[in-house]
Amino acid sequence: MSAQHPGQIALPLLAEGRGDPRRIVIGDANAGVIEALQSPGNWPFHTAVLTGPARCGKSLLGQWAAGQGIEVIDGADLREEADIFHRWNAVQHGGSRAGTALLLIADDTPWDITLPDLKSRLGGSLQLAIGEPDDAMAASLIEVHAEARALTLADGAAEYLVPRTSRSFADIERLVAAIDRISLERQAPATMSVWRAALEALQGPQQQKLL
């Protein structure tokens, strides 16, 4: 798994016979995180905390990490703090169920830890945060989501759409879904008129000012 960017990494996460492996786009928002995940031996206290916005690929990266022998707790901020504290202590003594490192995945919102001992220990662990996509990454995300839907976008789609959509993983995914839906409803190719309709559907008529 290479941290070169922009680009993509193959994540063999689907059972055999269920289609192509899902991919995650690499860009400035996550390249540092991906590099750090490849070196769990360098994590302070053998533990890393991964946060990021919705639909940014946290869980996919967690599944990849689990395949490398790292113990992963996805949704760690929703678990009992005593359980997280137990797993942190266990990994310090080589007692992790899956290996010798622990990856905790939490939402982008502040993780309000009330257990003082857990708060201090996780504060000393490696903090990894996925940011929002830049223009190059947004363009790649549009391409990957279109490919996943077998949606053919006319030439110039990224150049047109990137300046007009928010820098949000979830919003970019919703935009491609809207383009696909409108294209099917109209039984028309995904050209500029469809892109415009999708933007208006998601952002309202005021979007026309930019078009």
Side-chain angles (χ1 to χ4, degrees):
M1 176 167 140
S2 172
Q4 64 182 7
H5 59 90
Q8 299 163 8
I9 56 176
L11 297 175
L13 304 175
L14 297 181
E16 186 175 354
R18 292 184 59 195
D20 295 332
R22 285 175 285 179
R23 293 178 298 171
I24 187 164
V25 173
I26 301 175
D28 287 344
N30 62 7
V33 168
I34 289 170
E35 184 175 2
L37 288 177
Q38 296 177 84
S39 303
N42 297 331
W43 298 355
F45 303 105
H46 316 291
T47 303
V49 179
L50 173 60
T51 59
R55 309 302 297 167
C56 70
K58 299 188 300 291
S59 294
L60 283 177
L61 289 173
Q63 291 178 53
W64 178 88
Q68 311 308 305
I70 297 170
E71 180 177 1
V72 178
I73 301 179
D74 200 353
D77 50 331
L78 303 177
R79 297 279 290 271
E80 290 291 335
E81 292 184 358
D83 179 53
I84 301 297
F85 185 53
H86 171 71
R87 297 316 311 157
W88 187 94
N89 279 326
V91 80
Q92 307 311 308
H93 302 94
S96 171
R97 288 187 292 267
T100 58
L102 174 65
L103 176 64
L104 303 174
I105 302 176
D107 286 338
D108 195 33
T109 53
W111 185 357
D112 185 18
I113 300 173
T114 60
L115 190 63
D117 286 344
L118 177 63
K119 187 171 185 176
S120 64
R121 284 159 175 76
L122 293 189
S125 302
L126 180 63
Q127 305 297 314
L128 300 173
I130 297 175
E132 298 289 2
D134 61 9
D135 285 0
M137 192 174 189
S140 294
L141 286 166
I142 289 170
E143 177 185 345
V144 166
H145 287 309
E147 287 179 0
R149 292 175 168 273
L151 171 65
T152 300
L153 296 172
D155 291 344
E159 291 82 355
Y160 184 85
L161 295 170
V162 167
R164 293 169 170 82
T165 189
S166 68
R167 293 300 168 271
S168 160
F169 289 92
D171 285 350
I172 291 168
E173 186 172 358
R174 281 192 287 266
L175 174 60
V176 176
I179 292 171
D180 191 24
R181 174 180 57 79
I182 293 170
S183 177
L184 289 172
E185 288 174 351
R186 294 183 177 182
Q187 296 186 339
T191 56
M192 187 177 294
S193 63
V194 172
W195 309 339
R196 289 167 62 103
L199 288 165
E200 183 173 344
L202 295 178
Q203 301 176 0
Q206 68 272 18
Q207 178 62 30
Q208 291 296 323
K209 295 177 182 179
L210 296 176
L211 305 181

